[in-house]
Amino acid sequence: ADLIKRAGIPHAIVVIGPEKYNELYTKFKNLNRLLAWGHARAIENLLEQVDVDLVVADQFGDKSLIERALFEKGRKTRLLQMPRGEQDIAVAAASVMARAEFLNRLGLLGREFGLTLPKGAGAPVDTAARQIIKSHGLEVLARLTKTHFKNFTKVQ
């Protein structure tokens, strides 16, 4: 991610923290629609920086999801979605940038509450969630997690 930034490669990151994610999930009621919304926002933000006639994206759901979210704003560009989109260098770079931002934000959230927040959905996540409830309360856990996930329901 640092190499991509230093090289001056245009990029756009749409940050959806846990609280915003929960709000959007309540609105969209579907993970793929939420992802499509985020992808479309990033694409539109990037199109403010560069003029291209083709955008490539990883296909994670029905192809119309990103198209509908993107073209609601009137963007006129061709959109190619493909499984394993990271085969395209631009999609791979976007994936690297998104992962780096996720890890950075996870670290920031953890430091804000004096915690190490584990990734994923396994036993370490459940243990950390119980510790958060014990030390900070359920309200803080809801600010730090995706509340529709089974882990949240389990430890609640």
Side-chain angles (χ1 to χ4, degrees), residues 13 15 21 32 48 93 105 127 138 140:
I13 297 173
V15 176
Y21 174 93
N32 283 342
E48 296 295 326
R105 298 288 177 137
T127 300
L138 186 61
V140 169

Side-chain angles (χ1 to χ4, degrees), residues 16-152:
I16 304 173
E19 289 181 284
K20 184 66 174 179
Y21 174 93
N22 292 330
E23 176 188 323
L24 289 170
Y25 188 82
T26 299
K27 175 184 173 184
F28 289 110
K29 297 179 182 11
N30 178 286
L31 180 57
N32 283 342
R33 285 191 192 109
L34 192 157
L35 288 172
W37 178 88
H39 278 70
R41 297 300 69 77
I43 291 167
E44 288 181 343
N45 292 344
L46 189 56
L47 289 173
E48 296 295 326
Q49 300 175 50
V50 295
D51 184 29
V52 297
D53 60 1
L54 176 66
V55 173
V56 180
D58 189 40
Q59 184 177 335
F60 53 82
D62 187 277
K63 293 177 97 170
S64 67
L65 290 173
I66 294 179
E67 288 172 345
R68 269 192 302 237
L70 181 65
F71 295 125
E72 284 175 5
K73 299 290 185 185
R75 293 290 181 199
K76 302 295 180 199
T77 187
R78 289 184 308 135
L79 176 63
L80 171 63
Q81 295 177 75
M82 58 188 203
R84 294 177 302 283
E86 290 85 6
Q87 294 174 48
D88 182 280
I89 190 79
V91 178
S95 181
V96 166
M97 297 299 290
R99 182 66 174 179
E101 188 67 24
F102 164 74
L103 293 173
N104 180 50
R105 298 288 177 137
L106 187 66
L108 290 171
L109 269 176
R111 284 191 290 283
E112 180 180 340
F113 291 95
L115 305 164
T116 299
L117 299 174
K119 301 176 295 299
V125 172
D126 293 341
T127 300
R130 286 185 187 95
Q131 289 174 330
I132 292 167
I133 291 172
K134 186 176 179 179
S135 59
H136 299 284
L138 186 61
E139 300 78 26
V140 169
L141 181 64
R143 289 178 48 208
L144 297 173
T145 62
K146 297 173 180 174
T147 56
H148 71 95
F149 276 29
K150 290 179 184 177
N151 293 79
F152 183 82

